[in-house]
Amino acid sequence: MAGRIEPDEATMDFEEFARASLPGLLRYGHALTGSPHDAADLVQTALEKAGARWSKITRHDADPIAYVRRSMANAHVSRWRRRRREVLVDEFPDQGVALPDRLDGEPLWHALAELPPRQRAVVVLRYYEDLSEAEIAAALGITAGTVKSQASKALTKLRASMSSVEGRDR
C-alpha cells in the first residue's frame, strides 16, 4: 500500500513490552509517588524515554524493566527536588478537587509516603516487587551496599512510625 508505514520489529517489541509491563510499572509508580495520577505521569515519562532509546536498550542486552524502573526512580527524585523549593506568590491559586486515594487511611501507606524518595524506592522494589539487592542496585544505579543501608534506614523509620501508631490505637 502506498504511503503506509509498516512498524518495524523494534517498535513491535517495545509495544509488547509496554503492554505487558504497564500494570507492574503503574503499581511501582503508585508506591513511589503515593498518587495514581502522578504514577501514570511517571510511567508515561519513563516509557517515552525507553521508547526513544529502545533499539539501544535491546542492542546492549540491557534489562528493559530495570531501565524503566531506574528512569522512574530518577524522575521521581528529580520532581521531588524541584517541588521542594518554596515559591512565593501574591495570591493563593485556585484549589482543585482531589479525589481520595483508597489507601489514604492506611498508617503504613502514610509512613511509606514520609520516607525520602530513594528509601521509598528501595523498600518498594524489595518488598513490593520482590527484587533482590543486586536487582535493586542495578535498577536504581546504586551499589548493593547503598541498597542495604537505605533499606535499613527505611525499615527503622517505618518501625518507629508504626509503633507510634500502635501506641495511639491502644
Side-chain angles (χ1 to χ4, degrees):
M1 289 182 213
R4 183 169 180 212
I5 299 172
E6 293 293 325
D8 62 356
E9 188 175 319
T11 304
M12 294 301 288
D13 288 344
F14 177 72
E15 289 176 8
E16 291 171 16
F17 164 77
R19 197 173 296 117
S21 60
L22 185 62
L25 292 173
L26 286 170
R27 285 191 309 271
Y28 174 59
H30 190 188
L32 275 178
T33 64
S35 162
H37 306 294
D38 290 340
D41 290 344
L42 198 58
V43 170
Q44 181 177 353
T45 300
L47 286 176
E48 285 174 359
K49 287 181 182 178
R53 297 176 177 95
W54 187 250
S55 62
K56 184 177 180 181
I57 294 169
T58 56
R59 188 174 345 122
H60 293 292
D61 294 325
D63 180 13
I65 196 77
Y67 179 91
V68 173
R69 283 182 180 146
R70 182 176 180 184
S71 177
M72 288 173 64
N74 290 341
H76 176 62
V77 170
S78 294
R79 285 181 186 174
W80 177 77
R81 286 181 179 148
R82 279 193 304 270
R83 288 181 184 167
R84 230 175 45 171
R85 295 186 185 118
E86 184 177 11
V87 178
L88 301 176
V89 295
D90 289 339
E91 297 179 25
F92 289 108
D94 293 336
Q95 297 295 323
V97 177
L99 298 174
D101 189 348
R102 64 181 176 85
L103 298 173
D104 268 347
E106 294 293 324
L108 183 59
W109 188 251
H110 286 290
L112 187 63
E114 294 297 317
L115 292 176
R118 182 178 285 173
Q119 288 179 11
R120 187 178 328 146
V122 168
V123 168
V124 168
L125 289 173
R126 179 69 188 108
Y127 299 103
Y128 193 73
E129 293 291 328
D130 201 28
L131 297 182
S132 69
E133 290 169 352
E135 291 171 323
I136 296 168
L140 298 179
I142 56 179
T143 66
T146 302
V147 170
K148 291 176 186 179
S149 69
Q150 293 294 300
S152 175
K153 290 175 185 177
L155 291 176
T156 300
K157 288 180 183 179
L158 289 173
R159 284 185 192 107
S161 180
M162 296 310 294
S163 66
S164 69
V165 168
E166 288 176 3
R168 285 187 301 209
D169 290 343
R170 292 182 183 172

